[in-house]
Amino acid sequence: MPSSRSAKAAPQPAARRQASDSCRRLEGVGPKLADKLVTLGIECIGDVLLHRPLRYEDRSRATPVAEMVPHGLPVIAVVRVDAAEIRHGRRRSLLVTTSDGGGRLWLRFFHFAPAQQAKFAPGTWLRVFGEPRAGAYGIEIVHPEYQIVEDESAGHDFVPELRAVYPATSGVTQSRLRDMAAQALALLEVPGFWPDALPADIAAELSTGGPVMDVAAALRTIHRPAPGEDLGALIEGSHPAVTRLAFEELLGHQLSLRGRRRQIKTEKAPALGDAGSGLAPLFEQLGFAPTNAQRRVIGEILADMATRHPMLRLIQGDVGSGKTVVAAAAVLTAIENGWQAAFMAPTELLAEQHYANLSGWLEPLGVMVLLVTGRRRRDDALLAPIHDGEPAVVVGTHALFQESLDFGRLGLCVIDEQHRFGVDQRLALRNKAARHGLSAHQLIMTATPIPRTLAMSAYADLDTSIIDELPPGRTPVVTVAVPNTRRDEVIERIGRAVVDGRQVYWVCTLIETSHKLEAQAAEAAAEALSVALPGVHVTLAHGRMKPAAKQKAMNAFKAGDIDVLVATTVIEVGVDVPNASLMIIENAERLGLAQLHQLRGRVGRGSVESHCVLLYQPPLSETARRRLSVLRDTGDGFAIARADLELRGPGEVLGTRQTGAASFRIADLVRDGVWVERALTVADDVLAYHPREAELLVERWAGGGGGYAGV
Ligand code: ADP
Ligand code: MG
C-alpha cells in the first residue's frame, strides 16, 4: 500500500474502517439504533456480517397470477388495476381488483387512507409483493408491498434478488439491517478488511472432508444469494457457505476457551498437597466405602490441587453417583492446608442439604462449616472468621458472591450443578480469591452428563473427570408411562406400597410458569390422596411454602414419619431419602428429559426395587412420546443426555447462559457435529503454527457480543 502521504487528498486513512469498528461507523446508524442492535448481538461492523439471515424472500422473478397458490411463499406480481372499492363487510377494507391477463388477483387493505383509493385508478400498473392466500373471490394478497409503475414492462424491470430476512427486534427494521449488510459487504472489497483467518494448510486439510469456500464469498452468499442458490440448504445450514463460517466459528470458540484456560493456568494458586492426616478420617465418618470411581476422581483432584496453578476441573457424574463425597475430600484437603473453601449450590434447599452433609462429615474432624443463603444473610459475627482468613468451608447459594462476603484466604471453589450457573458467576466467585494474590482452585460438578463432543466444545477450558459408577446396592428404577385415565390404579398402588412400609413421592410439575398454580395443583393432589387413602400420612412441600415449613416437611419425610410427600419440582435436586421407592410424576409430558431423569434419581437409592410412574395427559405429542419412551428404556444418564441433545438441541441441554452455546451465530453443535470434531483436532496446530490467525479467529468470533466476551 502506498503511504498515506502519497495518497490523494482524501480523508482516506481516517475513514478506513475495520471490522472491529463500532457499527456506528456505518451510515445511518446512530447511538439509539446502536443500542438496539446490541440486543441482536451486533456491536461492530464485523458483527453485521456475521448476523445470519433467518430466511430469504424470492424476489428473483414475477409470478404470473395463474401460477399462484394460496398459503405459499410471498411472490412478486405485475398487475393492472381494474377497480378499487371500499367494502363494508365484517371489517371495512379497501379491495383492489387487478389482473395480469392470465388471471385475477385481489389486493386487500384493512388500514388505508382515502388518498390511497384514489391512487388505484383503473388501468394503473403495479408491482406487488406479498403472500397469496385464498380470498373471497379468488387469490388475494392482504397488505402487499406495492409500487406504482409506468407500464407492464416497467413492472418487470427490477433487479432480481433473493432477499435476506434477518432476525430483528423492535425499532430495527429489515430495510435498515439490509442496508447495513450492504455497506458491510462493500467493505469486504477493501484489502485487509476481512482477512481469511483459516490458514491455507488447515483449509486444504479440510477440503477432503467438505468444501471450503473463500470466506468473503461465503459471506456474500449468505447475505445475498445469487438467483438459483439452494435456499433450503442456506436456511438449514448444509450449504458450503454456512459450513465454511460454522467451522471458523467453532474453531474460534475452541481457541478462545483454550486461550482462557492457558491464561488461567499461568496464574499462581496455593499448592494444597497432602497435609499429613489424609482422607482416612473422612472416609471413616462416611459409614460407607468410596467407590473405585470416587477414589479415582478424588486422586485426580488432589493431584491438581497439589500444583502451584489453579485447578480447573469438571466432575461429571450421574444423579446419585456420589459427587458430594468427592467434593468433601477436596474441601477437607484445602482446609487441612490452612485455606478456605466455598461450596456453591444452585438452590437454598440444596445448599442446606450440602451444609447438613458437610457438617455431619467434617465437623467431627474439627472443621468449621458455615451456611450463607439469601435468607441467612451476612451475619458479621458469624462471618468474621471468614474475613480473617480462618480455615473453614462456607456453603451457600449465589449469595456467596452477591453478598459483600470477603474471604480472607480462599483456596478452593466448589460449584455444584454447574448448568444452573453462568460462566460469569463461576468467574465472579473465582475473583474473590484473586485479590489475595493467589487464584483459587476450581471444582465444578454437573449431574447432566454431556455427550463427549459437546462437553469438549463447551468445556474446553476445563479438565474433566467422570464418576462412571454408582454406589453398590442401587437397583435400577423400573419406569412405566401411564395415562391419567388410569390414575385410580396408580393411587391404589401407592396404598399397597405404603402398607409394605415404602415411602412415596408424588411430584406435581410446573403448570406453564406459574408457581402459584403449581402449588395449587400440589395442594389439590395432596387433598385427593388423603381422601383416597385414609390412614396414609400425606404431606406437602412446594416452592411457595415458607422455607421452615418446607424443610420441616422434608425432614419428617426423611425421618419416615410421612408416607407420601406431595411435592413440586423443588425436590428435583439433592433430596436423599433411601426408603422412598415409588415416584409418581404427574403431567410428565411437560418436563424435559434431563429434568425427569433428575427427578427419578430421587428413588432407587435404597436396596429395594424402585418404581417410577410417568403419569401423562393424553394425547401425547410425538416428542413427548419419544421422551417418555427413552426414560422407560434406559436409566443411563449419558444415553439420556444424547437423546436429549437430539430432541432439544445443545443450548437447552447445557443451559443457555452457561456456555454461550446458544449464542453461536452460525454453528450448531448438533448439525455441525463433524465440524466440531475437526475444530477440536486442528485447534492445537492453529495455536502452534498460526498464532496470528488464531488471534484473528478469537477476535472475530469470540471477542464481541457473541457471548464469550470477558470469559
Ligand atoms: P450426587 O450429588 O452425585 O447426585 P450424592 O453425593 O448426593 O450424589 O450421593 C447420593 C447418595 O449416595 C448419598 O446418600 C450419599 O451419601 C450416598 N453415597 C455416596 N457415595 C457412596 C458410596 N460410595 N457408597 C454408598 N453410598 C454412597
Ligand atoms: Mg448432588
Side-chain angles (χ1 to χ4, degrees), residues 106-165:
W106 283 266
L107 311 177
R108 195 184 289 275
F109 299 85
F110 291 106
H111 309 285
F112 58 94
Q116 210 169 348
Q117 185 184 6
K119 280 203 285 187
F120 293 116
T124 307
W125 280 92
L126 304 172
R127 180 166 61 234
V128 304
F129 179 79
E131 195 174 312
R133 53 169 226 182
Y137 309 102
I139 297 277
E140 179 174 301
I141 299 181
V142 176
H143 286 285
E145 277 178 37
Y146 68 91
Q147 266 172 292
I148 293 171
V149 289
E150 193 115 347
D151 52 24
E152 182 168 16
S153 71
H156 285 281
D157 183 17
F158 58 91
V159 181
E161 66 172 325
L162 298 173
R163 187 182 282 182
V165 179

Side-chain angles (χ1 to χ4, degrees), residues 267 410 413 424 426-436 440:
E267 293 171 8
L410 185 60
C413 297
D424 40 351
R426 149 154 95 82
L427 288 177
L429 192 55
R430 218 178 71 85
N431 290 341
K432 294 223 161 212
R435 79 175 80 111
H436 305 289

Side-chain angles (χ1 to χ4, degrees), residues 245-263:
L245 296 170
F247 178 73
E248 235 194 75
E249 177 168 39
L250 291 164
L251 191 54
H253 167 67
Q254 187 64 211
L255 293 170
S256 147
L257 286 176
R258 287 189 195 196
R260 184 168 89 90
R261 176 196 161 78
R262 253 203 330 206
Q263 187 248 317

Side-chain angles (χ1 to χ4, degrees), residues 319-320 322-324 350 354 416-417 445 447 573-574 602 605:
V319 201
K323 294 182 288 292
T324 321
L350 194 54
H354 282 321
D416 193 17
E417 311 289 353
M445 306 195 289
V573 278
R602 302 301 123 205
R605 298 197 157 201

Side-chain angles (χ1 to χ4, degrees), residues 277-581:
S277 43
L279 296 173
L282 169 66
F283 294 162
E284 269 161 41
Q285 287 296 327
L286 295 177
F288 50 75
T291 60
N292 288 331
Q294 284 169 318
R295 284 183 190 278
R296 174 175 43 78
V297 171
I298 289 172
E300 288 163 1
I301 292 168
L302 296 193
D304 282 356
M305 287 173 61
T307 70
R308 311 205 140 272
H309 299 288
M311 163 168 74
L312 289 167
R313 189 165 285 277
L314 174 76
I315 307 299
Q316 286 188 53
D318 209 343
V319 201
S321 60
K323 294 182 288 292
T324 321
V325 174
V326 169
V331 166
L332 181 61
T333 305
I335 287 170
E336 297 219 306
N337 279 276
W339 288 76
Q340 297 173 324
F343 195 129
M344 187 157 78
T347 64
E348 297 216 342
L349 200 68
L350 194 54
E352 280 157 16
Q353 177 133 357
H354 282 321
Y355 172 72
N357 276 328
L358 291 183
S359 46
W361 294 331
L362 300 177
E363 273 175 0
L365 307 178
V367 173
M368 192 193 310
V369 185
L370 300 174
L371 177 66
V372 174
T373 63
R375 218 160 279 107
R376 288 183 52 139
R377 267 169 202 285
R378 190 164 52 93
D379 173 336
D380 284 337
L382 186 77
L383 293 177
I386 302 304
H387 301 262
D388 296 346
E390 269 183 54
V393 50
V394 186
V395 183
T397 54
H398 50 277
L400 279 186
F401 60 82
Q402 278 178 350
E403 302 289 302
S404 54
L405 178 57
D406 191 18
F407 287 86
R409 214 169 137 78
L410 185 60
L412 171 71
C413 297
V414 179
I415 301 180
D416 193 17
E417 311 289 353
Q418 134 102 4
H419 60 296
R420 300 207 173 194
F421 291 109
V423 170
D424 40 351
Q425 285 171 310
R426 149 154 95 82
L427 288 177
L429 192 55
R430 218 178 71 85
N431 290 341
K432 294 223 161 212
R435 79 175 80 111
H436 305 289
L438 290 176
S439 299
H441 295 285
Q442 223 184 107
L443 185 65
I444 292 140
M445 306 195 289
T446 171
T448 310
I450 301 158
R452 194 186 135 271
T453 37
L454 188 50
M456 289 186 69
S457 177
Y459 302 118
D461 58 331
L462 303 174
D463 297 303
T464 305
S465 295
I466 300 180
I467 309 182
D468 49 5
E469 182 185 355
L470 291 179
R474 299 278 167 84
T475 45
V477 181
V478 179
T479 302
V480 290
V482 174
N484 204 13
T485 45
R486 288 167 50 199
R487 198 181 175 91
D488 290 348
E489 283 169 49
V490 174
I491 293 175
E492 270 171 45
R493 184 169 175 174
I494 294 175
R496 286 197 303 275
V498 170
V499 169
D500 289 345
R502 309 282 160 70
Q503 287 175 284
V504 182
Y505 289 107
W506 179 287
V507 186
C508 297
T509 56
L510 201 65
I511 296 168
E512 299 305 323
T513 50
S514 165
H515 289 282
K516 187 167 163 215
L517 287 178
E518 188 181 50
Q520 282 170 358
E523 277 157 22
E527 178 69 33
L529 286 171
S530 304
V531 171
L533 301 168
V536 169
H537 295 287
V538 179
T539 206
L540 259 175
H542 61 65
R544 281 169 66 91
M545 280 162 67
K546 290 239 156 61
K550 192 168 65 190
Q551 198 59 50
K552 197 171 148 229
M554 300 291 226
N555 290 345
F557 187 63
K558 195 159 184 167
D561 301 337
I562 305 287
D563 303 310
V564 181
L565 182 71
V566 177
T568 53
T569 42
V570 293
I571 66 158
E572 183 194 348
V573 278
V575 181
D576 191 29
V577 182
N579 191 46
S581 62

